[in-house]
Amino acid sequence: MSNRIDALTPGTFMLDGEEVEFGHGESILQAATRTGHYIPHLCWHPEFGATGSCRICTVKVNGRTGAACTVQAASGQEVESNTDELNSQRKTMLQMLFVEGNHFCPSCEKSGNCSLQATAYAMGMEGPHFEELYPDRPVDASHPEMMLDLNRCILCGLCVRASHEADHKNVFAIGGHGIQTHLLVNSSSGRLGDSTFAETDRAADICPTGVILHKRRGFQVPIGQRRFDAKPISEQVEGGQT
Amino acid sequence: MRYSAEEMDALLTRYDYAPHMLVQVLREIQERTHWLSRRLLQSVADRLHLPLAHVEGVAGFYRFFHIQPVGQYRILLSDNITDRMLGSGTLMQQLCKLLGVAPGSVRSDGRVSVATTSCTGMCDQGPAAIINHHQVVTRLTPQRVEDMAALVEAQVPLAQWPAEWFRVEDQIRLTNVKLGKQPALGAGIAAAIAKGPQSMLDDIKKSKLRGRGGAGFSTATKWQLCRNSKGQTHYVVCNADEGEPGTFKDRVLLSSYADTVFEGMTIAALVVGAAKGLVYLRGEYRYMLEYLQSVLQRRREQGLLGPAIQGVDGFDFDIEIHVGAGAYVCGEESALIESLEGKRGTPRIRPPFPVEAGYLGQPTTVNNVETFCAVTHIAVFGGEWWSKIGTPQSTGTKIHSVSGDCERPGLYEYPMGTRIGRILEDCGARDTQAVQVGGPSGVCLSALEFNRHIGFEDVPTAGAFMVFDRSRDMFEVARNFAQFFAHESCGFCTPCRVGTELVVRRMDKLARGYGSAEDIQVLYELDKLMHGATHCGLGAAACNPLRDTIGKFRPAYERRLQSLHFAPGFDMDAELSQARLATGRDDPGAHLETLA
Ligand SMILES: Cc1cc2nc3c(=O)[nH]c(=O)nc-3n(C[C@H](O)[C@H](O)[C@H](O)COP(=O)(O)O)c2cc1C
Ligand code: SF4
Ligand code: SF4
Ligand code: FES
């Protein structure tokens, strides 16, 4: 995606006191990210439609809260994002995501490449704060090339969208409800190995945490040289990335 | 129970093999098979050309669908606070003991399963239960429970159970416009036709009618937006999901005033230019389905539905009923539309609003049952007349579903602006400690506030009016509501999915006597977060009862704290849980002394 805006730009809004130009039909998060501003987010990705489920991108628009990925940008908006109050709320929601699953970062091969971890660092999270829920979520290693460690799923739905919108396969879906909500795999057995999932799928590389992993690749890049080891997530937004 | 390929094909043919009928299809299959096996889900998926995971995701979303085996008899006891106050907890224990089954599980011979469900809308005649997601049993007593267990053991079919058990009463205690004398059949439609769509809309505008589903949005504005939206077809949807605990007015309106409701929908169709209407009937009201369908059929024969209504060429409108499957969040209008489209009931991103892109992407107006009733009366008597009832900002009357500690529970209809204390006097409430107005997502008022008034200016309400006298423990009331929200969270967004669960765990901790001042602080913090950060109104309101009760009945919480100042780091006994698991022991000797 280009970070240049054509002459038909509908207008500008203010993000934490800085002017941001937005294009036609863009959400606040889209416009902010494209112009290199960091609004923390997990369930949104520039290639796919927004769902608004993680709520990490929650901002105040003219005093009212809303998810930056779902609120349409409009001229004259005053958007607050990088404030103590909002960052502290984000930290609380990240803590919720951590206690909801089973996250043992030191042993996770996604460590250093994980957006959940990197965002938690950016928000100054130092501990879980809430009691751990310790859910029972089995690992699915049935696929020859890929594996699913559902312990780390934050239900962002990015794999669902990527499989549907980019791969035209619908390998993933969301099941259950309430705290029992979980990821489903589309196959007769419900296991990844019996699905049409392929290592080359777009959905194979979209997971922001360490759920969808390529087998035999873990720790190829040593810890310390990984993506968020080099630079914090907040400094990696140029050009519509992250 | 077997379900043959021929039966499935016949069913799907009736639904035109439309994927958006998935919820209805699953419901009808399950009525025969009791539960939805993977094999059944697979054949539905194959025939509708849907991914199995999608069908599984839908089936797993609704509380009344089962993707694991359940008993031949499925008994669900209503778990609203009013049912509990009427003794549902003891009855549950009795029933489970008699049947030899644990709550929430299936008996080993597969005969019966017993569990709880959120409010069944029978608060004025509880404790209530639902059998096989179909028959409602009201006024449970120990005797009735004993007889019920015997019928289950003897495998007596539901149809042969005493009809008296299934009696649902209206209990209309005070009538005004909507519960009073009804307009003659077709009079509302005739009046609307005579005025024409635009003048009819102007009349609704003049009436200043605001929706009766809770939010109080202007009905005329909603209809105008829908009417102005471009689309191939427009839809009128009646929200009969009535899931808010303590509310049961829509149940009575549908069982005794269905003509007025359907007439209001038909008037809406004329105004917005719709050819099709949908009633979203909550699963708990399944027992009314055949009756409501017979009313629709009669109206077709009377020329009040179908092509050329009352002989007007081009005024074609018909109504279809969709039955929900036990999900409170489906009362939220965009979740309701998702559910009508055969999907999981998660609320949509807005905009676009339903009036622009609703059911099947077409302009749709969603209104509450009581709103449609009001419309019929306004069509007959005029907007001017309606606007003179009530208060300047809240015109007309409002029906209240009164339950809890009072002599005469039931329906009370008052003009908007009525004093809370007046309702308490009329229903025979004594020594009242608190009133929960508008259900768990509404407000909890203490005795100091009984001079406040019902209306959008002061105390808005979706209809519930639950009375608690001084013998009640307001902490337990708040805890029941917390459990309700956790059970009903759709699971889509982080703050609600995890937050409601964390609230329940804190409340349980306080209830066990392990609480500290720190826990109350955390509850405050969760309330603040969920109020602003959730995707829909469910999560936003989930902490309302908590905040109100902590604020107004703080001693009920402080009584439960181990110390007002000290914050226990952890629960010694709980720390041993892993050791207990590992050794397979759970006898008293494997526990440290507990305070519970
Ligand atoms: C979680 C939730 C549950 C709701 N449940 C209902 C309901 O059961 N019935 C209802 O009419 N409105 C319910 N509403 C409100 C509807 O979204 C909608 O505002 C209403 O149906 C509009 O009708 P009205 O304009 O006639 O009031 C609910 C809203 C939320 C957020
Ligand atoms: S597997 Fe990954 S991408 Fe998919 S929902 Fe879970 S966290 Fe998101
Ligand atoms: S607040 Fe979020 S999780 Fe809760 S019901 Fe609404 S969308 Fe679902
Ligand atoms: S990024 Fe906006 S809600 Fe997740």
Side-chain angles (χ1 to χ4, degrees):
Chain A
M1 210 185 291
S2 143
N3 56 359
R4 295 224 354 228
I5 307 166
D6 60 38
L8 298 173
T9 299
T12 63
F13 62 87
M14 297 301 285
L15 173 64
D16 293 325
E18 277 186 60
E19 197 164 27
V20 176
E21 292 184 311
F22 63 90
H24 187 73
E26 276 188 330
S27 68
I28 290 174
L29 185 57
Q30 260 177 320
T33 310
R34 189 179 34 70
T35 54
H37 295 85
Y38 177 61
I39 298 178
H41 59 271
L42 291 173
C43 74
W44 179 78
H45 187 282
E47 284 170 41
F48 303 104
T51 62
S53 64
C54 77
R55 313 309 283 180
I56 298 298
C57 71
T58 299
V59 292
K60 277 194 184 172
V61 185
N62 299 334
R64 288 190 52 176
T65 51
C69 65
T70 67
V71 178
Q72 290 246 317
S75 292
Q77 281 169 333
E78 289 281 345
V79 182
E80 289 170 63
S81 172
N82 191 13
T83 66
D84 288 349
E85 185 196 356
L86 289 166
N87 287 335
S88 133
Q89 288 206 343
R90 289 181 182 125
K91 185 170 90 176
T92 307
M93 287 191 281
L94 288 160
Q95 285 165 326
M96 285 179 168
L97 288 172
F98 271 93
V99 300
E100 184 193 22
N102 299 305
H103 296 270
F104 192 59
C105 294
S107 79
C108 177
E109 57 181 83
K110 187 85 173 190
S111 197
N113 287 323
C114 168
S115 300
L116 178 68
Q117 185 191 52
T119 311
Y121 277 127
M123 293 301 111
M125 182 181 139
E126 288 169 343
H129 182 58
F130 300 110
E131 62 271 34
E132 307 274 354
L133 305 187
Y134 295 128
D136 180 13
R137 298 181 183 172
V139 174
D140 179 350
S142 57
H143 193 281
E145 312 297 338
M146 304 294 300
M147 62 176 274
L148 289 184
D149 187 346
L150 295 167
N151 288 297
R152 304 162 189 149
C153 180
I154 56 167
L155 300 162
C156 69
L158 273 173
C159 57
V160 179
R161 277 170 284 158
S163 183
H164 176 73
E165 293 173 30
D167 306 324
H168 310 291
K169 279 191 180 176
N170 296 310
V171 170
F172 302 102
I174 303 287
H177 53 78
I179 196 71
Q180 310 292 343
T181 307
H182 57 271
L183 191 71
L184 293 171
V185 172
N186 186 47
S187 71
S188 53
S189 63
R191 296 187 346 141
L192 196 64
D194 297 318
S195 74
T196 57
F197 197 54
E199 191 171 16
T200 48
D201 282 358
R202 183 69 189 93
D205 294 301
I206 198 78
C207 182
T209 74
V211 181
I212 307 179
L213 297 168
H214 295 265
K215 285 185 176 171
R216 297 173 290 277
R217 271 204 218 162
F219 304 102
Q220 259 178 10
V221 180
I223 289 177
Q225 294 170 30
R226 297 181 169 193
R227 183 171 172 202
F228 301 116
D229 296 334
K231 250 201 276 182
I233 192 166
S234 54
E235 290 171 23
Q236 298 197 29
V237 284
E238 298 84 5
Q241 286 302 299
T242 292
Chain B
M1 188 148 321
R2 268 189 53 77
Y3 196 78
S4 70
E6 295 76 46
E7 279 173 290
M8 189 173 291
D9 288 327
L11 175 72
L12 290 170
T13 305
R14 188 146 54 75
Y15 284 120
D16 281 338
Y17 285 84
H20 63 263
M21 299 308 288
L22 183 59
V23 174
Q24 303 309 303
V25 166
L26 293 177
R27 194 182 57 72
E28 286 207 34
I29 294 174
Q30 191 186 267
E31 277 195 1
R32 288 277 321 284
T33 61
H34 303 343
W35 70 287
L36 300 164
S37 67
R38 213 172 159 76
R39 211 174 44 80
L40 276 169
L41 296 179
Q42 179 83 63
S43 27
V44 172
D46 290 347
R47 285 170 167 79
L48 294 180
H49 305 291
L50 292 168
L52 170 61
H54 172 87
V55 175
E56 202 184 337
V58 170
F61 181 81
Y62 297 90
R63 316 306 179 269
F64 286 3
F65 286 158
H66 303 289
I67 52 177
Q68 296 297 327
V70 282
Q72 278 163 273
Y73 292 87
R74 282 126 7 247
I75 304 176
L76 293 177
L77 272 85
S78 184
D79 198 29
N80 185 27
I81 186 70
T82 55
D83 292 282
R84 287 196 192 174
M85 282 155 59
L86 293 164
S88 65
T90 326
L91 294 170
M92 176 80 160
Q93 282 175 6
Q94 185 199 356
L95 182 64
C96 287
K97 192 153 171 250
L98 285 169
L99 290 168
V101 63
S105 61
V106 192
R107 202 165 81 177
S108 53
D109 66 355
R111 175 79 53 78
V112 60
S113 42
V114 181
T116 54
T117 185
S118 299
C119 182
T120 52
M122 301 290 158
C123 321
D124 59 333
Q125 45 207 301
I130 296 183
I131 322 288
N132 297 353
H133 305 303
H134 193 151
Q135 280 303 340
V136 175
V137 180
T138 55
R139 300 179 201 280
L140 282 171
T141 58
Q143 184 62 53
R144 217 166 248 198
V145 164
E146 201 178 315
D147 296 345
M148 192 191 288
L151 292 178
V152 169
E153 294 297 6
Q155 301 197 57
V156 177
L158 262 201
Q160 288 163 37
W161 288 22
E164 161 70 12
W165 294 5
F166 304 143
R167 209 182 74 223
V168 176
E169 282 176 41
D170 280 358
Q171 307 221 83
I172 297 170
R173 307 284 187 179
L174 183 73
T175 69
N176 198 305
V177 173
K178 280 172 274 180
L179 295 172
K181 193 172 174 304
Q182 299 301 295
L185 270 190
I189 300 179
I193 291 173
K195 285 177 206 169
Q198 187 59 56
S199 312
M200 185 63 232
L201 180 62
D202 292 342
D203 222 19
I204 300 283
K205 206 171 288 168
K206 223 176 283 163
S207 77
K208 295 198 267 173
L209 172 66
R210 297 170 68 161
R212 293 312 195 232
F217 195 75
S218 151
T219 306
T221 307
K222 197 185 276 187
W223 288 12
Q224 174 118 51
L225 289 167
C226 183
R227 179 179 162 82
N228 293 349
S229 285
K230 297 227 183 325
Q232 290 148 328
T233 356
H234 288 57
Y235 291 96
V236 172
V237 173
C238 174
N239 188 342
D241 198 46
E242 193 159 58
E244 193 68 48
T247 310
F248 48 87
K249 64 181 178 76
D250 295 343
R251 178 196 87 218
V252 175
L253 290 173
L254 287 168
S255 61
S256 299
Y257 302 78
D259 273 299
T260 313
V261 180
F262 295 148
E263 192 131 341
M265 290 177 72
T266 314
I267 294 163
L270 181 77
V271 172
V272 305
K276 191 163 165 185
L278 298 154
V279 175
Y280 191 90
L281 184 69
R282 71 190 298 229
E284 288 81 346
Y285 296 165
R286 163 68 185 84
Y287 71 94
M288 279 195 242
L289 178 63
E290 283 81 12
Y291 164 72
L292 291 174
Q293 275 166 342
S294 75
V295 175
L296 289 175
Q297 188 49 34
R298 169 174 51 68
R299 291 183 71 84
R300 283 181 202 115
E301 285 153 18
Q302 289 166 327
L304 299 169
L305 280 178
I309 291 171
Q310 291 195 337
V312 177
D313 261 351
F315 183 14
D316 310 332
F317 179 68
D318 212 330
I319 297 173
E320 204 175 89
I321 302 175
H322 283 231
V323 184
Y328 164 72
V329 70
C330 289
E332 195 282 335
E333 57 181 9
S334 67
L336 184 147
I337 290 170
E338 289 281 295
S339 182
L340 283 178
E341 292 181 356
K343 298 185 252 173
R344 293 163 62 78
T346 32
R348 291 179 175 174
I349 294 172
R350 289 171 302 178
F353 290 91
V355 286
E356 307 155 34
Y359 182 60
L360 302 177
Q362 300 300 316
T364 304
T365 176
V366 181
N367 293 101
N368 176 252
V369 174
E370 190 182 346
T371 310
F372 286 119
C373 283
V375 161
T376 304
H377 291 275
I378 293 169
V380 174
F381 300 108
E384 189 74 31
W385 158 81
W386 178 270
S387 73
K388 297 216 167 90
I389 310 169
T391 72
Q393 283 178 52
S394 312
T395 58
T397 65
K398 176 79 193 120
I399 304 174
H400 304 271
S401 318
V402 178
S403 62
D405 295 313
C406 66
E407 276 162 23
R408 294 174 295 279
L411 292 195
Y412 292 76
E413 182 182 12
Y414 295 94
M416 284 283 196
T418 300
R419 194 171 50 86
I420 307 282
R422 163 83 197 279
I423 307 178
L424 287 169
E425 288 148 29
D426 289 354
C427 71
R430 257 190 274 278
D431 204 22
T432 307
Q433 177 181 198
V435 185
Q436 185 75 28
V437 183
S441 38
V443 285
C444 184
L445 302 177
S446 73
L448 295 172
E449 299 166 285
F450 293 166
N451 272 327
R452 292 177 63 182
H453 300 265
I454 298 287
F456 298 104
E457 300 94 321
D458 189 6
V459 186
T461 176
F465 194 93
M466 293 187 270
V467 184
F468 304 100
D469 70 20
R470 294 200 184 275
S471 73
R472 305 295 175 186
D473 181 347
M474 294 312 289
F475 171 82
E476 282 303 333
V477 173
R479 187 164 162 232
N480 172 269
F481 292 161
Q483 289 163 347
F484 165 76
F485 286 115
H487 185 255
E488 296 300 336
S489 166
C490 83
F492 174 76
C493 71
T494 309
C496 176
R497 182 181 68 240
V498 189
T500 53
E501 178 70 18
L502 291 175
V503 168
V504 167
R505 291 187 182 223
R506 292 277 144 164
M507 298 289 269
D508 288 350
K509 184 178 169 200
L510 289 177
R512 284 196 309 269
Y514 284 117
S516 69
E518 156 84 4
D519 291 302
I520 296 193
Q521 202 44 48
V522 170
L523 287 171
Y524 267 125
E525 180 193 322
L526 287 169
D527 166 47
K528 194 154 166 288
L529 172 73
M530 288 162 72
H531 213 79
T534 58
H535 177 62
C536 88
L538 188 152
C543 284
N544 287 359
L546 193 75
R547 180 174 12 120
D548 285 354
T549 48
I550 296 183
K552 297 174 190 178
F553 306 96
R554 201 174 169 97
Y557 285 78
E558 293 189 338
R559 245 178 343 98
R560 295 182 151 82
L561 305 185
Q562 238 184 64
S563 150
L564 285 181
H565 316 288
F566 142 89
F570 59 86
D571 169 355
M572 294 271 270
D573 186 62
E575 293 301 314
L576 286 176
S577 65
Q578 295 304 309
R580 281 193 292 269
L581 265 182
T583 55
R585 271 182 68 179
D586 201 21
D587 55 288
H591 285 270
L592 290 175
E593 196 182 329
T594 59
L595 297 174

